[in-house]
């Protein structure tokens, strides 16, 4: 496995999540906003893991909505003047990770996974999944439901064999976020491989996807 390092906060992910949330927010009498210049995200000076977010929209409701949206994605958010200070946070504290862990618990396996690896993978995966968590959870559940038996076979025949190890060719097979990796591999493989470069080895990812193909 590639060594895990601290990941800078993603300005693009923060921006797209807030834009998506505010665009359709039923706050007051306004349900649609022109957001070309309404959201501004810049890196905090000297702090790669933090960003300043400002909204060119009146009212605390929008800032609260932005803060709640980012908090649900696992970012740490605090007030900063009239805007927000956003830190990388803990991606495994997100609604999306809770969802995949819960689904794995109840649907197909007991998992003994590496929480440190999950954190680093989820920091990347949240940047390449759709910003609306509720909609994406529905897509992800539909994918997993249609592939339920394949997911079980993947874990039983590969993930289980590696359960006592923190490394190995198929280390990804026993991670709960692998469900997201496989869905993204089926949907946007080039984006997935590029995003995970430096987080996990290309060989590990190739081994996982090859094993997945063999379960079909």
């Amino acid at each position: 496995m590639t060594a895990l390092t601290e990941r800078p906060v993603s300005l693009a992910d923060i921006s797209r999540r807030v834009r998506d949330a505010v665009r359709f927010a039923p706050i007051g009498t306004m349900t649609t906003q022109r957001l070309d210049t309404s959201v501004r995200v810049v890196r905090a000076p000297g702090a790669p893991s933090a960003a300043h977010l400002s909204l060119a929209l009146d009212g605390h409701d929008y800032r609260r909505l932005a803060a709640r949206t980012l908090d649900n994605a696992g970012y740490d958010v605090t007030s900063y003047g009239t805007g927000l200070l956003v830190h990388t946070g803990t991606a495994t504290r997100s609604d999306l990770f809770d969802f995949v862990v819960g689904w794995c618990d109840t649907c197909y396996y007991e998992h003994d996974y590496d929480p440190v690896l999950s954190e680093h993978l989820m920091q990347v995966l949240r940047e390449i999944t759709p910003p609306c968590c509720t909609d994406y959870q529905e897509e992800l559940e539909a994918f997993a439901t249609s592939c339920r038996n394949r997911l079980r076979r993947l874990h039983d025949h590969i993930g289980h064999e590696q359960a006592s190890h923190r490394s190995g060719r198929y280390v990804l097979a026993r991670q709960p976020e692998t469900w997201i990796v496989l869905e993204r591999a089926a949907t946007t493989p080039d984006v997935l491989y590029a995003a995970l470069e430096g987080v996990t080895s290309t060989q590990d990812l190739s081994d996982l996807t090859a094993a997945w193909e063999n379960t079909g």
Side-chain angles (χ1 to χ4, degrees):
M1 295 292 293
T2 302
L4 302 178
T5 57
E6 183 179 15
R7 185 175 181 82
V9 68
S10 171
L11 305 185
D13 188 51
I14 293 170
S15 178
R16 74 186 182 115
R17 287 181 183 279
V18 173
R19 288 174 186 271
D20 182 79
V22 176
R23 180 179 293 116
F24 301 108
I27 296 176
T29 60
M30 305 177 70
T31 57
T32 304
Q33 294 288 334
R34 289 179 57 85
L35 293 179
D36 293 342
T37 60
S38 294
V39 177
R40 182 170 181 266
V41 184
V42 297
R43 199 167 303 284
S49 64
H52 294 155
L53 167 69
S54 59
L55 285 167
L57 297 168
D58 293 332
H60 295 289
D61 286 344
Y62 290 108
R63 284 191 291 276
R64 281 196 293 267
L65 175 61
R68 184 169 66 250
T69 297
L70 295 173
D71 181 73
N72 289 345
Y75 290 100
D76 288 339
V77 186
T78 56
S79 296
Y80 184 83
T82 59
L84 299 171
L85 182 64
V86 185
H87 288 267
T88 299
T90 306
T92 50
R93 189 180 51 79
S94 65
D95 289 351
L96 181 57
F97 188 72
D98 287 346
F99 178 71
V100 296
V101 169
W103 198 89
C104 292
D105 280 344
T106 59
C107 293
Y108 73 98
Y109 69 81
E110 294 181 2
H111 53 276
D112 174 23
Y113 64 91
D114 181 349
V116 175
L117 179 57
S118 286
E119 174 58 29
H120 284 265
L121 288 172
M122 284 302 300
Q123 286 185 15
V124 177
L125 293 172
R126 70 179 171 188
E127 298 173 14
I128 62 171
T129 52
C132 179
C133 186
T134 302
D135 290 348
Y136 182 57
Q137 285 179 11
E138 293 177 358
E139 296 175 21
L140 200 55
E141 185 166 20
F143 170 80
T145 299
S146 68
C147 302
R148 183 189 299 265
N149 290 334
R150 290 181 67 187
L151 286 166
R152 184 180 291 113
R153 287 197 297 272
L154 180 70
H155 179 265
D156 288 347
H157 297 309
I158 297 174
H160 180 70
E161 294 173 2
Q162 297 291 333
S164 61
H165 301 283
R166 292 303 187 193
S167 62
R169 289 181 61 196
Y170 300 110
V171 64
L172 295 179
R174 57 184 180 73
Q175 296 292 118
E177 65 276 6
T178 291
W179 175 14
I180 304 172
V181 172
L182 293 172
E183 187 277 331
R184 290 289 90 185
T187 307
T188 55
D190 292 342
V191 172
L192 175 71
Y193 272 80
L196 289 180
E197 184 177 0
V199 178
T200 187
S201 74
T202 300
Q203 188 60 56
D204 287 344
L205 191 53
S206 296
D207 286 342
L208 174 68
T209 54
W212 175 248
E213 291 300 320
N214 290 336
T215 63

